[in-house]
Amino acid sequence: MMARYVIDTNVAIVANGEEDVAIECQLAAVETLTKAVNSGVIVVDAAGEIRDEYRRHLNPHGQPGVGDRFYLEVINCHPDRTAQVDLPKREDGEFKDLPQAIINAGFDPSDRKFAAAAKKSKSPVYNATDSDWVEHREIIEATGIKIVFLCGCDPAIWKA
């Protein structure tokens, strides 16, 4: 079975070189996206919220960066390289599959779709430089969601 990836948008942005980060961090993002595209399955939500966020930050023509190339693969929806998960919402707009503890902790609403997709698909979520994942790590991981910190868990070492 192929490895499955829930990729926070910051990973693709870092891979594109659009943030002033340590070269090791950028390389980790590039390597992860390359693996995901070449030999993995990229998990997105069926409603398109993850794709919409990618669209706001990445170039759909697949250039000039590795993050843009990743986005092109996602929008092309190669059936052997992408998996869509249904993430129904509750009446209050929160994802049914997102554990309440994460919501109660005040985890960033814009990142909740990634956490819900990871929970539903039983796939790890990949983060590069979003400190919200670090700040809420204990609560998120206690709900069974695995986070892969490509740049480590100390935001002080992320910058170049």
Side-chain angles (χ1 to χ4, degrees):
M1 185 172 171
M2 292 180 167
R4 295 165 68 93
Y5 298 79
V6 176
I7 308 281
D8 189 306
T9 310
N10 73 78
V11 175
I13 292 169
V14 166
N16 277 348
E18 295 174 17
E19 285 194 13
D20 185 25
V21 298
I23 190 67
E24 297 84 9
C25 181
Q26 185 177 1
L27 288 174
V30 166
E31 288 171 7
T32 297
L33 294 183
T34 301
K35 279 185 199 172
V37 167
N38 291 337
S39 60
V41 175
I42 301 157
V43 178
V44 295
D45 63 300
E49 289 187 40
I50 292 173
R51 278 191 211 90
D52 288 346
E53 183 168 321
Y54 290 163
R55 180 176 43 250
R56 287 191 299 274
H57 298 281
L58 303 168
N59 184 340
H61 299 293
Q63 295 179 13
V66 173
D68 298 319
R69 175 68 184 159
F70 160 78
Y71 175 51
L72 179 63
E73 293 298 319
V74 170
I75 59 176
N76 283 338
C77 288
H78 295 294
D80 60 334
R81 293 286 185 246
T82 58
Q84 293 187 20
V85 293
D86 186 32
L87 297 177
K89 291 190 176 182
R90 306 181 320 200
E91 285 185 19
D92 65 1
E94 293 291 352
F95 296 102
K96 288 182 180 180
D97 294 290
L98 188 66
Q100 188 64 41
I102 295 173
I103 297 165
N104 292 347
F107 183 61
D108 185 353
S110 70
D111 288 329
R112 292 178 185 175
K113 61 187 158 289
F114 298 108
K119 182 72 172 173
K120 179 84 177 249
S121 68
K122 297 177 175 59
S123 306
V125 61
Y126 288 78
N127 175 60
T129 59
D130 184 338
S131 61
D132 208 47
W133 292 99
V134 174
E135 292 166 15
H136 294 92
R137 176 184 188 174
E138 222 173 270
I139 291 165
I140 294 167
E141 289 182 339
T143 68
I145 297 170
K146 181 181 179 194
I147 309 166
V148 178
F149 293 97
L150 299 174
C151 300
C153 293
D154 181 0
I157 65 169
W158 295 346
K159 299 297 177 194

